[in-house]
Amino acid sequence: MHAPDKLSIVPLAHSPCGCSLCPTRHLCAAADLEEDVLPLLAACMRTSLPMAKGDHLYREGDPAESCFVVRSGVYKTSTVSSSGHEYITGFYFSGELIGFNGQRDGRYLDTAIALETSTVCRLHIRDLPKLWSIGGGPPLLRMLAERQDCATRQQINLCQSRADARVARFLLESSKRMQRLGRDSALIPMPMSRTDLANYLGITLECLSRILARFRNAGLIRAERTEIQILVLANLESLAFHTS
Amino acid sequence: MHAPDKLSIVPLAHSPCGCSLCPTRHLCAAADLEEDVLPLLAACMRTSLPMAKGDHLYREGDPAESCFVVRSGVYKTSTVSSSGHEYITGFYFSGELIGFNGQRDGRYLDTAIALETSTVCRLHIRDLPKLWSIGGGPPLLRMLAERQDCATRQQINLCQSRADARVARFLLESSKRMQRLGRDSALIPMPMSRTDLANYLGITLECLSRILARFRNAGLIRAERTEIQILVLANLESLAFHTS
DNA sequence: CGTCGCTTTGATAGCCTTCAAGAAATGTGG
DNA sequence: CCACATTTCTTGAAGGCTATCAAAGCGACG
């Protein structure tokens, strides 16, 4: 199916990533570090060459010696249940940690795929003590907790039975993410297919399509194939938290 | 409402926990450690005095300087949305990590409450380097990844629209947990109220009650107030993964 | 023994899934 | 650059499942 050392297939840049020059260094472990230790951080991380849309970062079951921080682009993770059904478990933007679940038993528990041209910074688990020694401990803990919280918030979102509330919350969540990235918080990129998003939200493709059409007809959003613009934030918020 | 230094209210035992004598030491960070470093581990952790049912381990918003490992009993975590609705986000048995999400921004993101007489081992975040130095790093990473995976599995469970599949998966998940604890995997303790469980599963109290009745009438389980016995595992599994 | 909270059971309405078909977008070869 | 094939997305109609409202058991506790 694929080579067991699949990880080595992700091509790494020959030189260290050079965190000092990274446009997204304020999003990752570098955030809290002094400028003069950034070269030391760069010694712990290696930047990947650009991965194309559809490329695998790692596959479920691969031996897991690293975790990754998204540097640019978007990734999705998915897992296959024992019944053969595929579940989309997350979407990952710049500065977000991915692949840490491999530390449970040394093998990745999900599959990570680039949704567009993307790059990651790779962190070997064996380098964690080094990362810690230069002050990278707290930011790492923060990223771990952030990832944790992201899964919990999605868990809460899925507890909302109403499909329109799930979609509204997804848009609001994405909006906050864009804000954190310093981008337009009203412009939500949609690099994933409708099928993947519906899967992630626990609803059918048709239902998602209908709800987006409803939101569009109500003037709440402007929906295109690859991006959604939020027009009336307040109405989305009332939909998101309307318990009925 | 409550004192800001609420954490100190959790009463700690005067002496270190003595991991060497802990009946559940094979479940936590002590699992991979040699016998002779267990006293060093005990220097990082402090065991709480028994907490009564309903006692708070910490509250949402409390400053977070520690995380905890459940030593005995069961805890639940919950969070309140901006609309005022409460969501149950998890149940925690022996050996499971709790409260780590506080490391995102220094304050706990949820509230943890004992569901029965319970104890925890408290780990100060500032002691993490010490823990690491005695070889506790990998087990800690494993517990973090385990917690992460637990949230992801629940996320997947909630994507299953059918309520009976959610309940079946919850029972199977709990069964595996009991097996990991070395207890009877067919006997699922139910220390939480039906209301809390329904909330956690994203269905209504009435729906949960009906489904348990259906399972009972079909001879799949024997349901009591505080525990459920699995009678026919195979049928529950086919229900859990039946995509329809 | 009575009250109160929790759980179970019943009936109706609304939402989502499913199946089906059409529209739009994407990719490919000439 | 255009025509065509394929995938992806949208729209429609019917049925099933769950939420909601309502009321009755049941058990804990004073």
Side-chain angles (χ1 to χ4, degrees), chain A residues 159 161, chain B residues 163 166-167 197-205 207-208 211:
Chain A
C159 277
S161 317
Chain B
R166 295 190 196 186
V167 177
L197 181 56
N199 183 318
Y200 177 69
L201 294 177
I203 58 181
T204 60
L205 169 63
C207 187
L208 172 61
I211 286 168

Side-chain angles (χ1 to χ4, degrees), chain A residues 142-227:
Chain A
R142 183 169 43 72
M143 283 194 291
L144 278 167
E146 169 65 32
R147 176 72 205 105
Q148 177 81 58
D149 183 49
C150 196
T152 303
R153 283 200 305 274
Q154 173 62 1
Q155 187 180 318
I156 288 175
N157 188 7
L158 293 173
C159 277
Q160 198 79 16
S161 317
R162 297 200 40 149
D164 53 0
R166 295 189 196 186
V167 177
R169 287 196 184 188
F170 171 79
L171 291 175
L172 294 175
E173 186 81 19
S174 300
S175 176
K176 283 184 194 152
R177 234 179 201 172
M178 290 306 107
Q179 193 168 31
R180 199 178 70 90
L181 291 177
R183 298 165 62 176
D184 182 353
S185 65
L187 217 54
I188 314 298
M190 302 284 278
M192 71 293 281
S193 69
R194 294 281 193 269
T195 304
D196 280 351
L197 180 56
N199 183 317
Y200 177 69
L201 294 176
I203 58 181
T204 59
L205 168 63
E206 297 93 325
C207 187
L208 171 61
S209 184
R210 268 184 260 268
I211 286 167
L212 288 178
R214 213 179 303 160
F215 285 0
R216 177 158 28 84
N217 292 338
L220 302 183
I221 62 173
R222 187 178 55 78
E224 287 179 15
R225 171 74 187 70
T226 55
E227 71 174 22

